[in-house]
Amino acid sequence: KWRLGWSDDKKTFCCKAHKLGCATKDEGTTAAAAAAATTTTEEFDCQAGLAKWRLGWSAAKKAFCCKAHKLGCATEEEGTTAAA
């Protein structure tokens, strides 16, 4: 289910952090494996999954993206997290 249900951002994070959701030799290269192979200076890609951030982003990603890029920040009106 993870191949179709997880966003590329989640696959990348889980592959890097937990060695889950990584491509196998039989599957070829997935976006998660390709992203994991590249170096990045940021903890999260705040553009990845932005359209569905409310349900798709982890609390850690919301916190990072809010602080670093003003995306996924809590608003007083909603009482939840909202893209700025």
Side-chain angles (χ1 to χ4, degrees):
K1 289 184 176 183
W2 65 267
R3 285 176 185 87
L4 298 175
W6 288 7
S7 67
D8 285 344
D9 186 57
K10 183 172 181 175
K11 289 175 191 174
T12 300
F13 173 79
C14 290
C15 182
K16 285 181 180 180
H18 304 288
K19 305 295 185 224
L20 298 171
C22 303
T24 64
K25 291 178 186 176
D26 296 334
E27 295 174 334
T29 303
T30 65
T38 61
T39 57
T40 173
T41 58
E42 295 203 349
E43 187 174 352
F44 295 100
D45 178 355
C46 297
Q47 294 300 316
L50 184 59
K52 297 185 180 186
W53 64 268
R54 283 180 180 88
L55 297 175
W57 285 8
S58 67
K61 181 172 180 175
K62 289 175 187 175
F64 172 81
C65 292
C66 180
K67 183 176 181 180
H69 300 285
K70 305 289 188 232
L71 297 171
C73 301
T75 65
E76 292 180 24
E77 299 87 40
E78 291 183 36
T80 60
T81 311

